[in-house]
Amino acid sequence: MDTKQLEKFKEILESRKQEILNQLYQTNKDIEDLYNSEPNDNIDFSVITASSQIEETIDHNLKQELEYIENSLLRIKKGNYGICEGCEEEINIERLKIKPHARYCINCREKYEKSKGL
Ligand SMILES: [Zn+2]
């Protein structure tokens, strides 16, 4: 991968990182608002519980993506970005364009998913 492409991926990863941070902040704020709202007859607490569970799941997924993005940014710095963590071959650039924080090439990804029984 050339420097220009690397810079492009770095830009994409950094803006996605910012987006996730904003979303996480917004989610936490929403939950806080929900709990801080005055309890009254119009509030169904089971709805509050269900929606905060959904938000927790979203939260968890975003945090995981954030972790992968941080990992990718670190790899850009170290100079081994785009190298599969499984077989150490270069990950196809078209795959990186769809998923810039990918850790595995398609082959390893499939093996990994099979081993997890997905
Ligand atoms: Zn691989």
Side-chain angles (χ1 to χ4, degrees):
M1 194 184 297
D2 61 39
T3 325
K4 220 176 150 189
Q5 281 172 322
L6 208 57
E7 278 299 314
K8 189 77 200 147
F9 281 117
K10 195 178 163 203
E11 250 174 57
I12 295 168
L13 285 161
E14 274 172 352
S15 69
R16 179 69 188 137
K17 179 180 159 181
Q18 204 49 53
E19 220 177 277
I20 291 175
L21 289 174
N22 289 341
Q23 268 185 51
L24 285 174
Y25 175 75
Q26 192 54 48
T27 309
N28 287 334
K29 213 174 152 291
D30 284 350
I31 293 175
E32 232 171 79
D33 287 350
L34 214 53
Y35 282 118
N36 288 339
S37 55
E38 284 290 318
N40 65 49
D41 292 343
N42 296 325
I43 294 181
D44 181 346
F45 280 95
S46 65
V47 171
I48 294 187
T49 311
S51 69
S52 65
Q53 269 165 0
I54 293 167
E55 302 226 328
E56 258 170 46
T57 309
I58 296 170
D59 233 50
H60 175 81
N61 291 342
L62 283 176
K63 277 178 187 157
Q64 184 157 60
E65 193 184 339
L66 187 63
E67 201 185 299
Y68 291 162
I69 288 174
E70 294 281 13
N71 183 275
S72 295
L73 286 169
L74 199 71
R75 289 169 77 92
I76 287 177
K77 225 184 251 176
K78 287 200 291 193
N80 59 356
Y81 174 73
I83 306 292
C84 170
E85 288 182 29
C87 62
E88 298 188 350
E89 295 283 330
E90 275 186 32
I91 299 172
N92 187 300
I93 194 136
E94 294 307 318
R95 173 162 162 74
L96 288 172
K97 278 180 190 163
I98 298 163
K99 195 178 168 190
H101 60 278
R103 297 168 64 191
Y104 299 105
C105 69
I106 297 220
N107 288 339
C108 292
R109 179 77 218 169
E110 276 173 7
K111 272 186 240 161
Y112 177 69
E113 281 180 355
K114 268 183 201 142
S115 74
K116 272 177 70 184
L118 291 173

